[in-house]
Amino acid sequence: MEYPLPRRRFLALVGSAGAGFLGPSLVTADGRHLRVSSARAERLPSGMFTLGVASGDPLPDGVVLWTRLAPRPTDGGGMPAAPVEVRWEIATDERFRTVVRTGTAVAHPAAAHTLHVDARGLRPAADYFYRFRVGNQTSPVGRTRTAPAPDAHPRRLRFATASCQNWQDGYYTAYRSLATEELDFLLFLGDYIYEAAPWPGTLRAHTGPGQPYTLEDYRNRHAQYRTDPDLARMHAAAPWIVSLDDHDVDDNWTGDAPADPGQREPVRFPARKAAALRAFAEHLPMRVGPGHRLYRRLRFGDLATLHVLDTRQYRSPHPRTVEEAEEPWRTMTGLTQERWLVDGLAGAGSRWNLLANQVLWASADSRAGPGERYSFDSWDGYRVQRRRLLEYLGSGAARNPVVLTGDTHATWVNDLKPDARTDGSPVVGAELAGTSITSGGDPDVEGFRREHDSLRAENPHCKYLDNRRGYLLGELSATALQVRLRVVDTVLDPAGGAVRTGARFVVQSDRPGAALDGPPDLTGAPGGAAPPIGPRR
């Protein structure tokens, strides 16, 4: 395929008081098309707002608001089988003295009494506070923020990336800090839940007797995650932009197939996938297109365009060898999404292009010395398409491309090249792959360093590698993207530990690639930490 050229302050208020599947059932702000509930508020159970509130997918004039009525969240929700009318309110202050938008919508039992309100008529680049009411019950208060107007010239954009929050691996200590960061948005890059069965001896076990397979199973798993107070606090602190990865359905699934098609499961994979995707959309504040389309694009003035990819639903089966990984027909995104991405990059017109991507884009050879070894679940398994896209980025059709990645439970800072194995292949962009919130538990940093020290020569395009838990905090301006790696001491203590800046990185405008911005801080890292790979540029 050839491409034409160039064709805040707010800490969540928790405990303040006692729909459907997105797409066609996304609730509009006026709610006129919805039936009024026949259920009487006084007959409803108490404690309906156990799962808090959330907002997401900010636009210049609006945002998606979310809640779920669930007095018994991990036991099917505990709501009567009747629709319930819910009142929502948006104000400019957290005490709701100045309410600017309000309306009613209906939470339906067919959608587990989840509610998504696409609230419009808001001012661009503005902070708002929101809440829900049913009878005399009021939800916690959430803070959200709209995007700048398309023709605005914002001075900065402050965001964070997070991914991989396995409930059984630890506590969400990082979110306690992240909720205070005054973000324009949080970009979550996959593995919101994990499908694993309960593990013996874990800090906190998954619900259910085994892996989730049915819609009720996945709803209970999502609800369990949402009961975490730090995750609830983070959802209430800023709008989220969420993407999907494998553990949200089944480990290493591709397209319409599980990772191991020969393994017998209680439910056939197409039915399991449909249940998982429906529960995913029900429980997250996002807009979903027809056919459960999750790739989408958001703009933040003339400063940045965010292209949110879906690298699971449309990908080809995994290759088994490097030779198969070079087969031209293999695709990570499908051709329709690839064309959407290329057209969007060409027409963005913004200073920066951010790609929300789930699995590692840069090549990563994990065998020292002769021979090669790769993870074919990453873009290393889809090399022709990767090379095609990177050559396109190098053509100048898209200004300042930066790929933001999750998945690996480690922080990678990579220069992106069309062919990392060829001397002289140009740097065309930067990849900032963030570590996990909990997945992997407390890391063996010393062992990780020993393992990867021997791989520096194999991966000279990798500028930094670190396996501590945490998140990436970015501040984008016209001249640079400044990024801090924020790391936590431990995820094994419910009281939490210190959160510090472990390293700083910078991507300069119109200078492809990334660089360390000063030496990393290894203070408090158990056993030391991975040093930078390669010289500082």
Side-chain angles (χ1 to χ4, degrees):
M1 179 183 295
E2 294 183 357
Y3 305 131
L5 296 181
R7 226 205 336 185
R8 260 50 162 115
R9 178 186 62 83
F10 182 68
L11 183 61
L13 305 177
V14 291
S16 62
F21 180 58
L22 285 181
S25 54
L26 182 64
V27 177
T28 57
D30 57 18
R32 284 193 299 262
H33 68 288
L34 295 172
R35 292 188 298 111
V36 175
S37 170
S38 60
R40 298 176 60 188
E42 61 267 25
R43 294 179 181 174
L44 292 173
S46 61
M48 288 190 291
F49 292 107
T50 56
L51 302 184
V53 299
S55 69
D57 281 7
L59 300 176
D61 70 335
V63 68
V64 176
L65 307 180
W66 177 94
T67 194
R68 180 185 175 189
L69 310 181
R72 298 198 310 273
T74 60
D75 184 24
M79 289 292 293
V84 177
E85 186 174 86
V86 181
R87 183 173 181 82
W88 55 270
E89 300 174 332
I90 300 176
T92 56
D93 64 290
E94 55 197 275
R95 295 186 179 273
F96 286 78
R97 289 176 294 227
T98 306
V99 175
V100 295
R101 296 286 289 163
T102 187
T104 59
V106 175
H108 289 282
H113 289 96
T114 58
L115 195 70
H116 300 78
V117 175
D118 195 354
R120 300 297 181 99
L122 304 178
R123 293 183 294 109
D127 288 331
Y128 289 98
F129 301 87
Y130 62 95
R131 65 188 179 188
F132 298 89
R133 293 175 180 267
V134 177
N136 62 0
Q137 298 185 52
T138 304
S139 75
V141 174
R143 173 256 184 196
T144 192
R145 183 170 176 81
T146 53
D151 58 351
H153 311 293
R155 291 177 48 251
R156 70 163 200 172
L157 189 66
R158 187 176 173 87
F159 66 93
T161 71
S163 65
C164 303
Q165 52 184 29
N166 193 331
W167 175 274
Q168 300 191 130
D169 279 357
Y171 298 99
Y172 298 151
T173 311
Y175 285 138
R176 207 169 305 167
S177 169
L178 192 48
T180 69
E181 297 282 13
E182 300 184 24
L183 303 178
D184 291 298
F185 62 86
L186 172 68
L187 183 59
F188 192 87
L189 295 165
D191 294 344
Y192 187 91
I193 65 166
Y194 274 67
E195 85 295 358
W199 296 335
T202 57
L203 288 170
R204 47 183 190 174
H206 277 149
T207 59
Q211 292 191 30
Y213 290 98
T214 67
L215 180 57
E216 183 176 2
D217 292 342
Y218 279 103
R219 284 171 171 172
N220 287 339
R221 185 63 57 88
H222 273 277
Q224 180 182 31
Y225 277 56
R226 295 300 281 268
T227 61
D228 183 273
D230 291 318
L231 178 57
R233 184 177 291 114
M234 186 58 235
H235 268 298
W240 286 47
I241 301 169
V242 182
S243 61
L244 177 90
D245 203 14
D246 56 336
H247 290 289
D248 296 298
V249 179
D250 181 33
D251 187 21
N252 286 346
W253 66 282
T254 61
D256 295 321
D260 183 2
Q263 183 175 344
R264 295 179 62 86
E265 299 284 7
V267 174
R268 291 175 61 84
F269 183 73
R272 182 184 189 184
K273 172 186 166 184
L277 294 181
R278 177 168 177 170
F280 181 84
E282 285 176 344
H283 285 83
L284 292 164
M286 59 195 301
R287 297 180 183 88
V288 178
H292 202 94
R293 174 177 147 169
L294 296 178
Y295 60 89
R296 58 206 188 276
R297 187 173 291 115
L298 297 101
R299 184 177 174 90
F300 298 87
D302 67 354
L303 183 59
T305 301
L306 176 63
H307 312 265
V308 183
L309 302 183
D310 178 349
T311 59
R312 283 292 162 190
Q313 290 197 76
Y314 314 102
R315 72 157 74 182
S316 307
H318 294 124
R320 292 163 297 181
T321 65
V322 171
E323 291 72 25
E324 288 184 358
E326 290 282 0
E327 292 173 335
W329 64 272
R330 293 189 189 273
T331 174
M332 179 73 80
T333 63
L335 294 181
T336 299
Q337 184 181 182
E338 182 177 351
R339 173 55 63 190
W340 167 88
L341 174 60
V342 169
D343 289 346
L345 288 167
S350 52
R351 180 175 289 273
W352 295 86
N353 283 277
L354 308 178
L355 280 68
N357 166 69
Q358 292 73 53
V359 295
L360 200 66
W361 197 301
S363 183
D365 181 2
S366 61
R367 174 173 291 163
E372 299 172 310
R373 182 172 58 211
Y374 301 97
S375 166
F376 293 135
D377 189 57
S378 74
W379 280 85
D380 271 324
Y382 303 84
R383 298 180 174 211
V384 174
Q385 186 190 23
R386 176 176 65 184
R387 188 159 50 244
R388 184 166 65 231
L389 286 169
L390 289 176
E391 287 173 352
Y392 179 75
L393 295 180
S395 71
R399 193 173 182 188
N400 288 324
V402 178
V403 176
L404 304 169
T405 300
D407 183 60
T408 64
H409 310 170
T411 300
W412 299 69
V413 177
N414 300 315
D415 286 345
L416 292 176
K417 302 180 177 183
D419 190 347
R421 303 285 163 232
T422 301
D423 291 340
S425 186
V427 177
V428 302
E431 179 176 37
L432 303 171
T435 184
S436 65
I437 293 293
T438 60
S439 299
D442 279 356
D444 176 4
V445 182
E446 186 65 38
F448 184 84
R449 181 176 64 183
R450 288 194 303 269
E451 177 184 354
H452 287 275
D453 270 352
S454 62
L455 300 175
R456 295 188 193 183
E458 314 300 323
N459 302 284
H461 52 281
C462 178
K463 303 302 178 186
Y464 184 82
L465 187 54
D466 186 327
N467 71 333
R468 289 176 286 179
R469 303 287 158 255
Y471 57 90
L472 295 182
L473 178 65
E475 186 158 320
L476 185 65
S477 69
T479 58
L481 171 59
Q482 302 279 350
V483 178
R484 284 185 283 163
L485 166 61
R486 299 281 284 162
V487 297
V488 301
D489 280 346
T490 180
V491 297
L492 304 183
D493 183 352
V499 179
R500 62 176 55 81
T501 296
R504 297 173 186 266
F505 319 106
V506 63
V507 181
Q508 301 286 353
S509 178
D510 299 323
R511 292 178 57 189
L516 260 153
D517 189 15
D521 178 5
L522 308 184
T523 306
I533 292 181
R536 181 183 172 193
R537 295 196 312 159

